[in-house]
Structures are given as C-alpha cells and as structure tokens.
Amino acid sequence: MSGDDDTLRTYRGKRRFDRTAEPEGERAERSDEPHYVVQIHDATSLHFDFRLEWDGVLKSWSVPKGPSTDPHDKRLAMPVEDHPLEYRTFEGVIPKGEYGAGPVIVWDEGTYEPLSRDFGKALEKGHISFRMHGGKLRGDWALSRFRSGDDGEREAWLLVKKNDSHASSRGTPDPWRVRSARSDRTLKQVAEEATEQWTREGGRS
C-alpha cells in the first residue's frame, strides 16, 4: 500500500475482505462535485453513517439518532475511520463475527457543496458548513466538533440543519420503515435476503 493510502489503513485493518463484501478500495482523486451518502447500519446498535467525500476518501461519522431536518435538533455525530469512495454504493449484510456485523442500506445519497472557506482546514479546526443536494437531505447543514478527545474522552461532533427553506419539523424517519435509495429495500428485507441466499448456498460461511 502506498503512502497515499495511509488514511485507509485503519479501515482495512478492521476488515477481512475474504469474509465481507465491503470494498477494499483505494484513495481517489478529489472530485469537483463531491458526493455524500447516509447509510443505515444495524450493527451492535442501530445508527446512521454520515459520509462526506473529501480528499479522495469518505470522511465518516456515526450518528445514533440520524440526521434531522429540524434546526432545533442537535444530533450527536461520532467520527469513525475514513472509508473508500466505493463505500458510497455498499449495501448488504456484513457477516456475523466480522467488524460491524449486520445489515446496511443506503438511505440517502447525492452531492454537496462546501460552504466553509478552505474546507479542508475548516474540517481540521472542527467546524464545517455545506449545502446538500440529495434525494432526502437538502439545504444547508453544519458539523461542529465540541469535544476534541484530548481529555481522554472520545472525540464528538454535532450535526445540525440550518434554518432555511428545506428545514422542517419532521425530524428523522423511523429507520426500520424507510427504504433504500438504491434498491427500495428495508433493513429487514436486506437481512432476510442475505439469510435466504446463505441457506441456498448450503449454509457455507
């Protein structure tokens, strides 16, 4: 692995790619029109994974309650390791016994527009603003770090919808009822289909 790929070392170190269908991936060139994806993941606990393409990878946060369109809601967002860009389209079941085991669906996807001046430096400093152009999430948002992790506690951020024409009081939908933006399947359907396939293949792991 080249030095340019060092940012994905943690991601790769947690996964066995002969066991999981997750992409191994490579760091890519920066895109003129960066993408984002929000996945729902029923692992140890159910959560939303919020990912922004930046500098050839997906900068990622785990959002337990999911993004809310209500500007009054401040959603806790815990940073996790950078993911490869190919992860934007990943949907399926991470096998039992593997890191993050459980079903994953793509809840929303689209492009976003960085609003912060020098977005990379703003990200390092811990406050970014951006405009989302997606199927479900639109308008202006902000991510702000409120705990650095220097005090021994885990680093933490807040994800907040700004008060604009795309804001609403709807909040976040029920993650068990929503359907994938890519396959129109629910989390339960993804899990059931994986079980059926495993059974057809004779229960081989």
Side-chain angles (χ1 to χ4, degrees):
M1 178 171 48
S2 70
D4 288 343
D5 269 341
D6 282 354
T7 188
L8 294 175
R9 182 172 293 164
T10 300
Y11 167 85
R12 292 189 180 118
K14 291 181 175 181
R15 292 162 175 84
R16 296 183 292 178
F17 295 103
D18 59 336
R19 302 272 299 174
T20 178
E22 295 168 282
E24 187 169 358
E26 294 182 358
R27 189 169 181 169
E29 294 296 322
R30 183 177 297 178
S31 173
D32 292 334
E33 192 175 35
H35 289 79
Y36 80 87
V37 66
V38 182
Q39 288 154 314
I40 302 178
H41 186 184
D42 184 25
T44 305
S45 60
L46 182 67
H47 63 278
F48 291 68
D49 286 311
F50 189 88
R51 311 189 195 280
L52 298 176
E53 176 185 347
W54 187 253
D55 202 19
V57 295
L58 292 172
K59 297 294 181 182
S60 301
W61 293 261
S62 172
V63 184
K65 292 186 177 181
S68 172
T69 55
D70 188 339
H72 296 98
D73 292 337
K74 295 178 173 60
R75 296 303 203 205
L76 177 67
M78 305 299 289
V80 298
E81 70 274 12
D82 293 345
H83 282 51
L85 295 187
E86 294 94 328
Y87 214 94
R88 278 200 306 115
T89 60
F90 175 72
E91 194 168 84
V93 176
I94 301 171
K96 186 177 180 179
E98 299 306 303
Y99 177 77
V104 178
I105 63 171
V106 173
W107 177 62
D108 190 32
E109 59 184 348
T111 60
Y112 78 94
E113 178 184 346
L115 299 179
S116 301
R117 181 178 297 179
D118 195 338
F119 196 78
K121 186 171 292 185
L123 185 61
E124 290 178 9
K125 289 184 175 180
H127 180 77
I128 52 174
S129 297
F130 46 94
R131 182 167 296 147
M132 303 181 78
H133 306 284
K136 299 182 178 75
L137 302 180
R138 304 185 70 83
D140 294 0
W141 296 70
L143 265 167
S144 301
R145 184 169 55 220
F146 70 91
R147 191 169 65 215
S148 67
D150 294 338
D151 55 2
E153 292 193 78
R154 188 177 170 190
E155 180 184 336
W157 296 57
L158 290 175
L159 175 65
V160 180
K161 176 74 186 77
K162 295 188 177 181
N163 195 3
D164 59 19
S165 61
H166 296 285
S168 76
S169 59
R170 290 194 305 270
T172 307
D174 181 350
W176 289 107
R177 295 175 63 87
V178 300
R179 293 182 175 273
S180 162
R182 286 191 157 264
S183 66
D184 200 41
R185 297 180 297 171
T186 64
L187 272 174
K188 183 179 179 181
Q189 287 173 329
V190 167
E192 288 174 346
E193 289 175 17
T195 299
E196 290 171 3
Q197 181 179 355
W198 184 79
T199 301
R200 285 197 305 270
E201 294 175 353
R204 296 189 299 272
S205 58

